[in-house]
Amino acid sequence: MEQKNQVYVKLQKHLDKQAVGFPATRSGAEIKLLKHIFAPDEAEIACCLSYKYEPLETIFSRAGHLVDSLEELENRLDRILKNGGIESKTKDGVRHYCSAPLVVGMYEFQGHRLTPEFLEDFSEYTSDRRFGLEFLGTKLPQMRTIPVARSIHPQHNVSTFDEVMTLLQQAQAPFAILECICRKKKSIEGGTCEVTDRQETCLAIGPMGRMALQSGAGKEITREEAIMTIEQNQKQGLVLQPSNTQKAEFICSCCGCCCGMLGIHQDLPKPLEFWVANFYAAVDRVTCEGCGACVKRCQVGAVSVAAKKQPAVVNLDRCIGCGLCVPACPAQSITLVKKANEVRPPQTREDLHEIMMAGKKGRLEKLKLAAKLVVDSVRTGHMNLFK
């Protein structure tokens, strides 16, 4: 058994050196995860890929000893792609491939082949401290929050990368709609979403859309259908979380009861230190009637009403500026405020991963991050990390 695991240990170490690491744990849950996605021969080939997109010929220069021809290598890579183990895109008419992080990447492309066993191993791995520090320790987060359309107005001077309809209008086709893997996970585990009973709410766009179609993880829709989907998501109270890029490559629509990302937010003592959001909600204490509609609408527990008819209070350490509370307020007492220092995301996920790779933290920096999380938990009294 030990010998059979060697190729997966090799792949784990290789993936851990990429832009978003894949650390080993004492439980070995990471090896079990890799076995769900890669056959042994596929794991060997995956060790020849980088976080950078590369053409087939470049990969063949490293993987040629594992296959008989370029054609065989392409077939093997496409098989791994179909199982959600790697990523692919076409540049100037030439297919390129790269390794995929676990999140956002391999996990999200398991939606059409989820099993209870995979979910059990995924939960075991992602609840480990080592994974948490790796995921939180990247120089830039992989995702960000943008406001729902009804919460912004011309005076906000919203940049195109923070305006969902502009993102969709300017996006490159194809558009693929996917089942929300977090909601599907909740359903398989016996739970139900408190916000929506719809499963197909997440979009993959452009190169990621094409990859979703090639892997069978999504189905193609038109731009107009993508816009209609996002409009319905906003009405139902889902948080818009696109890729942390100026060109939208995916847009997740998330709820606090199912979403893994928002679950992390709720566990952290100061989540805004690990979040990209250019807005926050503000309450007019004079006109606020304390009805609590905003509390029910907020998906991250950032709004509270101390007593009936008392003005709502927004915790600025937790507000992600999604804007869901704005149209929910019957007294129109909540508005979004644009932060003084706007954060401009990189152009593409390739640029994002380059920044992550350049700022990759070492062991000492991760220990410092772990210590800070402990101190912040004690200071804020938010002890969810220790439950």
Side-chain angles (χ1 to χ4, degrees):
M1 181 63 71
E2 189 68 31
Q3 189 171 3
K4 288 183 180 180
N5 283 343
Q6 284 181 359
V7 67
Y8 294 105
V9 172
K10 179 181 177 183
L11 178 56
Q12 174 271 312
K13 291 180 178 178
H14 175 73
L15 292 174
D16 196 36
K17 296 175 183 176
Q18 306 309 311
V20 184
F22 189 69
T25 64
R26 291 178 182 174
S27 71
E30 70 282 358
I31 302 301
K32 292 186 283 185
L33 274 179
L34 293 175
K35 286 182 176 181
H36 284 290
I37 301 171
F38 301 89
D41 63 315
E42 295 169 347
E44 194 76 57
I45 289 174
C47 290
C48 300
L49 274 65
S50 163
Y51 72 96
K52 297 181 179 182
Y53 282 103
E54 295 176 317
L56 197 61
E57 289 78 4
T58 301
I59 300 169
F60 186 74
S61 68
R62 295 192 291 266
H65 65 291
L66 300 172
V67 293
D68 294 330
S69 65
L70 270 172
E71 183 180 8
E72 183 186 348
L73 177 60
E74 185 173 23
N75 289 336
R76 296 274 195 95
L77 289 173
D78 285 342
R79 190 171 69 191
I80 303 171
L81 177 70
K82 193 165 186 178
N83 290 337
I86 60 175
E87 298 184 15
S88 171
K89 75 186 316 183
T90 300
K91 294 183 177 182
D92 300 322
V94 178
R95 288 282 295 280
H96 287 59
Y97 299 85
C98 72
S99 62
L102 178 63
V103 181
V104 177
M106 286 188 273
Y107 173 62
E108 284 72 19
F109 281 96
Q110 299 306 305
H112 60 307
R113 53 196 305 271
L114 273 185
T115 64
E117 293 77 19
F118 175 85
L119 292 176
E120 182 179 346
D121 294 334
F122 178 79
S123 295
E124 181 181 2
Y125 181 64
T126 54
S127 62
D128 189 279
R129 176 179 60 87
R130 292 170 181 83
F131 170 80
L133 292 175
E134 183 67 37
F135 186 77
L136 293 173
T138 56
K139 188 168 184 177
L140 290 177
Q142 293 188 70
M143 300 172 72
R144 60 197 178 96
T145 301
I146 60 175
V148 297
R150 288 180 60 197
S151 67
I152 55 177
H153 305 285
Q155 60 266 33
H156 280 118
N157 191 26
V158 181
S159 299
T160 55
F161 50 77
D162 272 339
E163 194 168 14
V164 66
M165 292 307 166
T166 303
L167 283 175
L168 290 173
Q169 292 290 358
Q170 295 181 351
Q172 175 187 354
F175 297 85
I177 190 164
L178 292 76
E179 287 186 305
C180 171
I181 193 164
C182 299
R183 215 163 288 127
K184 190 168 185 177
K185 175 178 182 290
K186 185 90 173 262
S187 176
I188 290 174
E189 293 172 342
T192 55
C193 180
E194 299 169 9
V195 180
T196 181
D197 58 1
R198 294 164 53 237
Q199 292 284 345
E200 292 183 329
T201 56
C202 297
L203 301 179
I205 303 166
M208 285 202 78
R210 187 168 289 106
M211 187 170 62
L213 298 175
Q214 290 168 345
S215 68
K219 67 180 183 183
E220 188 166 6
I221 59 174
T222 65
R223 188 186 307 272
E224 290 70 28
E225 288 172 323
I227 290 172
M228 288 173 59
T229 296
I230 291 298
E231 286 177 341
Q232 190 171 1
N233 293 350
Q234 295 177 92
K235 287 178 182 176
Q236 289 195 309
L238 297 175
V239 176
L240 303 180
Q241 297 198 97
S243 49
N244 190 15
T245 54
Q246 293 191 34
K247 294 182 179 179
E249 300 188 38
F250 62 82
I251 301 177
C252 290
S253 296
C254 309
C255 56
C257 54
C258 302
C259 175
M261 294 296 295
L262 296 186
I264 291 173
H265 173 287
Q266 292 170 51
D267 285 342
L268 292 171
K270 291 186 177 182
L272 265 293
E273 294 182 353
F274 306 93
W275 223 263
V276 177
N278 283 322
F279 294 84
Y280 63 88
V283 178
D284 184 334
R285 296 178 60 83
V286 175
T287 61
C288 176
E289 299 172 350
C291 68
C294 53
V295 178
K296 294 177 182 177
R297 195 70 161 172
C298 182
Q299 297 298 307
V300 293
V303 192
S304 60
V305 175
K308 193 173 182 180
K309 296 189 177 181
Q310 289 294 310
V313 176
V314 178
N315 184 338
L316 296 184
D317 280 337
R318 311 200 71 79
C319 177
I320 55 177
C322 68
L324 286 174
C325 57
V326 175
C329 179
Q332 300 182 342
S333 298
I334 306 181
T335 55
L336 280 190
V337 178
K338 191 171 184 179
K339 294 180 180 179
N341 297 317
E342 180 182 69
V343 178
R344 297 184 66 85
Q347 283 287 330
T348 66
R349 283 178 75 238
E350 290 178 78
D351 299 328
L352 175 65
H353 287 167
E354 287 290 356
I355 293 170
M356 287 179 171
M357 193 68 189
K360 200 169 171 67
K361 286 182 169 61
R363 185 170 179 272
L364 180 58
E365 290 174 302
K366 289 176 185 175
L367 287 173
K368 289 180 179 178
L369 174 58
K372 184 181 186 308
L373 288 169
V374 172
V375 171
D376 287 344
S377 296
V378 173
R379 285 178 175 172
T380 62
H382 193 89
M383 306 297 287
N384 286 22
L385 284 175
F386 303 96
K387 291 180 180 178

